[in-house]
Amino acid sequence: GGKEWSLSDDTFELDADAVDTELHFARTVLTYPMVDRSGSVSSGAVPVGDLRFRAEIEVDRVGDIEIHIQEHGVVHRLVLGEQESFVEIGGVDAKRHPLDVRLEEGASYDVSFANVDDTAIVRVDGEEASIPFESATTELGPDFGVAKHLKRDVHGLFLVARSCKATFTDVRVDRDIHYLREQNQDRPERWKIPDGHYFALGDNTNHSKDSRLWQVS
């Protein structure tokens, strides 16, 4: 971020002119470390692109505010403005989905924008829209390879603004629970769970043993 963005008492202050200004979330969001069947750590954590940005945004001067979520190099964005608002699903053939919300001077908005399981989910003041889109990855899923035109593990989150003065409070960045295959496993394992049975997972994602490893004592 440049001089247009400032942090005071855990609050982001934005004062942007007509030129685009960006604020990037500098940290890489990671999974838990990989754990093998014995419970030992077998490899390090990897970046993930299923992210959610949440904030209360109070608008002092109306302009445009954009939230960008990048997954495998593809950017999906939520644009909030005075004249129009929309969600744009990125990729080779980008598509826009209009939203009814418009920014107004003096108004405050509770905003959430997420990329979860190939669905863009936007919530503004309790009104929610879910927009499914074609996966950027192959049919095997995000841990089994991506299309050649994509950038594997290039994920990120950033804000873009222009001609806007606003205050961001209660800012949060969350990630979805993300599971990976075991190290050196080329194809996904599949299990058929019979009717009336359950498959139990640990509460610490990759650092817990699931019910395949439970034993009766």
Side-chain angles (χ1 to χ4, degrees):
K3 60 181 177 57
E4 298 84 2
W5 300 89
S6 61
L7 177 62
S8 175
D9 296 329
D10 297 327
T11 298
F12 286 104
E13 300 284 352
L14 165 67
D15 190 356
D17 56 22
V19 179
D20 284 5
T21 179
E22 298 184 3
L23 179 68
H24 288 251
F25 186 66
R27 293 179 55 189
T28 300
V29 182
L30 303 172
T31 64
Y32 290 114
M34 291 292 294
V35 177
D36 61 24
R37 291 174 181 264
S38 69
S40 301
V41 174
S42 60
S43 63
V46 300
V48 296
D50 278 15
L51 304 176
R52 178 176 63 186
F53 174 86
R54 299 170 57 189
E56 184 79 17
I57 304 175
E58 183 177 351
V59 179
D60 297 315
R61 184 178 67 247
V62 177
D64 293 316
I65 297 173
E66 303 184 10
I67 303 168
H68 293 222
I69 297 178
Q70 184 180 41
E71 181 180 30
H72 296 300
V74 175
V75 174
H76 310 301
R77 62 184 182 130
L78 166 64
V79 178
L80 301 173
E82 181 180 25
Q83 302 300 324
E84 65 172 346
S85 297
F86 57 87
V87 173
E88 182 179 83
I89 304 302
V92 177
D93 183 20
K95 292 182 174 61
R96 290 188 177 184
H97 301 264
L99 301 173
D100 291 335
V101 64
R102 298 291 184 271
L103 295 186
E104 298 180 5
E105 185 175 314
S108 183
Y109 304 86
D110 184 9
V111 176
S112 171
F113 182 49
N115 168 37
V116 181
D117 297 337
D118 300 323
T119 302
I121 303 174
V122 57
R123 181 184 293 121
V124 180
D125 291 338
E127 295 292 327
E128 182 175 300
S130 297
I131 305 166
F133 54 87
E134 185 177 351
S135 175
T137 60
T138 69
E139 68 278 5
L140 292 177
D143 350 338
F144 291 91
V146 297
K148 291 182 179 179
H149 70 279
L150 302 173
K151 300 176 182 178
R152 185 176 180 86
D153 293 339
V154 177
H155 308 304
L157 171 69
F158 58 99
L159 308 181
V160 179
R162 70 191 67 86
S163 304
C164 188
K165 185 175 182 181
T167 302
F168 293 70
T169 57
D170 297 327
V171 178
R172 289 191 55 175
V173 176
D174 305 306
R175 70 157 172 85
D176 191 20
I177 296 174
H178 191 87
Y179 295 96
L180 299 171
R181 71 188 188 280
E182 291 186 17
Q183 192 177 29
N184 300 321
Q185 179 184 335
D186 294 329
R187 304 290 295 183
E189 292 185 55
R190 302 184 187 278
W191 307 279
K192 182 174 177 58
I193 302 173
D195 291 342
H197 293 72
Y198 298 90
F199 184 78
L201 297 172
D203 61 356
N204 195 16
T205 325
N206 292 346
H207 207 166
S208 298
K209 295 181 179 180
D210 60 46
S211 55
R212 294 171 301 165
L213 301 178
W214 293 1
Q215 298 179 354
V216 178
S217 58

